[in-house]
Amino acid sequence: MTGAGEQEPPRATAVLVEGFLGATPIATPEGWRPAESLQTGDAVLTFAGPPQPIRRAQHSRVHPADWPRRLAPLRVPVGALENHEELLLLSGQQVLLQCDQAESQFGEPFALVPAAALEGFRGIVRARVPGRPLAVTLNFAQEELVYAAGAALLRCPASEGPDDPLRALLARAESGRTPALSLEQSLHLVACLVAEEAGAVLRQFPLQAARARGANRP
């Protein structure tokens, strides 16, 4: 039990798939701050409007090296998500993508996808994280998108919301918020983006591509 205004102490968890690893830089009105330094009441810059105060900040010790590969964090190289430095994302952390493929498939130019679906996209790979780093979950009065390490946009949930997943889905649709895709939908979207970018590269070098095809002929 903690008193009013006191921060909950770090606690051990088996697996945490949504939230930020402690060193993740988060944009605040005072500049970039590591997620592990953020406390309840601190203001954070948000995508949708003015800075918002954190309603609840939970800090937990995690041990990713013991997690199965499908739950391992993902390493995001510089620039892959418009991030100015390398990022480590927990596998269930929802990331905002803006692309024509999202609009053609789901009717909106934005889509929230779990980080796990980004494996293989622009050099994003699974990462082995040693030790027991601190992980942080930030909650706001309502769902928010915050800036991480540049222009990467990561979802933070509301401090209170519908317990029933169906009610939560309906509430999201009624509010007009960015659609959160299932893992299957996200994998399909990302596969289309990978193919689209690969095609764009080939179109930039038609002569080289033609030579490569010719070299493979018997």
Side-chain angles (χ1 to χ4, degrees):
M1 179 70 70
T2 57
E6 292 183 12
Q7 183 63 47
E8 293 185 5
R11 66 177 188 271
T13 66
V15 176
L16 184 69
V17 295
E18 187 171 9
F20 311 133
L21 289 173
T24 304
I26 302 297
T28 75
E30 293 76 36
W32 295 100
R33 291 178 56 183
E36 62 191 7
S37 75
L38 296 172
Q39 307 291 334
T40 299
D42 287 346
V44 173
L45 298 183
T46 64
F47 178 65
Q52 295 295 320
I54 298 169
R55 281 286 185 90
R56 187 182 187 191
Q58 293 180 280
H59 296 68
S60 307
R61 287 288 173 189
V62 295
H63 196 188
D66 287 346
W67 299 350
R69 187 186 182 282
R70 63 185 177 84
L71 297 178
L74 292 104
R75 189 181 307 279
V76 182
V78 173
L81 298 174
E82 299 188 47
N83 47 309
H84 57 56
E85 62 182 84
E86 186 178 86
L87 269 175
L88 285 172
L89 296 179
L90 295 177
S91 63
Q93 175 59 51
Q94 290 186 317
V95 180
L96 187 75
L97 296 182
Q98 179 181 7
C99 56
D100 293 339
Q101 284 286 347
E103 186 166 23
S104 65
Q105 293 183 37
F106 306 106
E108 297 284 346
F110 300 98
L112 284 167
V113 304
L118 297 172
E119 184 178 5
F121 177 60
R122 296 179 180 172
I124 297 173
V125 296
R126 297 284 179 172
R128 188 179 187 281
V129 180
R132 295 181 61 84
L134 199 63
V136 183
T137 303
L138 303 179
N139 299 98
F140 295 87
Q142 61 183 12
E143 180 180 302
E144 299 287 355
L145 292 165
V146 303
Y147 294 92
L153 284 162
L154 308 180
R155 172 190 175 271
C156 291
S159 55
E160 296 181 3
D163 294 328
D164 181 1
L166 179 57
R167 288 177 58 201
L169 183 63
L170 291 173
R172 171 180 286 279
E174 291 171 358
S175 70
R177 293 198 299 269
T178 300
L181 305 185
S182 68
L183 179 58
E184 183 178 4
Q185 290 173 318
S186 300
L187 288 168
H188 178 71
L189 174 62
V190 172
C192 290
L193 291 175
V194 170
E196 183 178 72
E197 293 190 355
V201 170
L202 288 176
R203 286 193 295 273
Q204 290 177 6
F205 304 100
L207 181 59
Q208 290 88 332
R211 286 175 176 171
R213 288 195 297 269
N216 290 329
R217 291 174 181 167

